[in-house]
Amino acid sequence: MLPHIDPPPRWKRAETHVIKEYGLIEDHASWHDARTDDDELVEIKSCACEYEDGSVGEFAVWEYQWVKLVTRGKFALLVYIPDADCTVLATKMVFPGQIGKAGTVSKRKHPTMGRQRLRRVPWPEVISLDEIEPRKRHYFTDYYSEEEVEKTAFWYPPKE
């Protein structure tokens, strides 16, 4: 009988998916996870589309990472459905400025760097409805404005 092997943690599966999807080179440091062929640094952030309590998932962006990437890189964002397979809902590569004013900021204890500023960014603030996997868009229309829903193409009729 084969031994039971647990799958990698969600963050590792998300990281692996983004590295493959964008053709990145894995390159871990304290503030980034990968780089492009052109040596642009990339920090990978992932979140569930919705938490167990029903609230919208958020990317956690440490300010020291954001500051370092402002002139040297990007964030690669991945939203997953918290099912057994961690189905990918959307991915997007963004410049730090695209998330610089989104979300809320608080001071939190960083595991290795002490108290740091942390920005919590709800994923619908940086990933538009048309960037969601087309067959799943109609499940997430409540997160977006009526105008965005109207301009977005759907493969299946929206939920009622």
Side-chain angles (χ1 to χ4, degrees):
M1 184 168 164
L2 294 175
H4 174 73
I5 299 173
D6 288 330
R10 287 179 175 170
W11 67 266
K12 183 62 177 168
R13 287 185 269 172
E15 193 175 274
T16 301
H17 180 90
V18 168
I19 286 170
K20 285 180 184 175
E21 180 168 328
Y22 291 108
L24 302 174
I25 301 160
E26 192 167 350
D27 180 27
H28 288 279
S30 63
W31 56 276
H32 71 276
D33 299 312
R35 61 184 167 82
T36 65
D37 288 336
D38 298 339
D39 285 329
E40 185 173 46
L41 303 175
V42 178
E43 171 61 13
I44 300 169
K45 297 293 183 183
S46 63
C47 71
C49 60
E50 200 172 85
Y51 298 129
E52 286 182 19
D53 66 1
S55 62
V56 175
E58 297 177 320
F59 298 112
V61 178
W62 293 99
E63 184 155 358
Y64 77 92
Q65 293 172 317
W66 187 89
V67 168
K68 287 183 179 261
L69 288 173
V70 161
T71 58
R72 300 180 58 195
K74 295 180 182 173
F75 285 99
L77 308 175
L78 180 141
V79 181
Y80 63 88
I81 298 171
D83 56 13
D85 298 324
C86 292
T87 305
V88 174
L89 181 64
T91 59
K92 183 176 184 178
M93 191 84 75
V94 299
F95 289 105
Q98 292 173 273
I99 60 174
K101 293 186 169 118
T104 58
V105 178
S106 63
K107 281 225 174 196
R108 297 277 170 94
K109 185 165 174 66
H110 185 275
T112 59
M113 310 254 326
R115 292 193 63 73
Q116 294 283 332
R117 289 172 50 96
L118 177 69
R119 183 174 300 276
R120 309 253 341 145
V121 181
W123 67 267
E125 290 187 24
V126 290
I127 296 179
S128 66
L129 185 56
D130 65 354
E131 292 168 314
I132 294 175
E133 205 266 288
R135 292 173 289 181
K136 295 178 178 69
R137 290 176 183 165
H138 64 280
Y139 293 110
F140 299 97
T141 57
D142 291 346
Y143 296 151
Y144 296 94
S145 69
E146 285 184 30
E147 296 102 51
E148 186 158 0
V149 172
E150 287 177 15
K151 73 176 186 171
T152 303
F154 293 88
W155 283 14
Y156 297 103
K159 63 182 178 177
E160 295 180 17

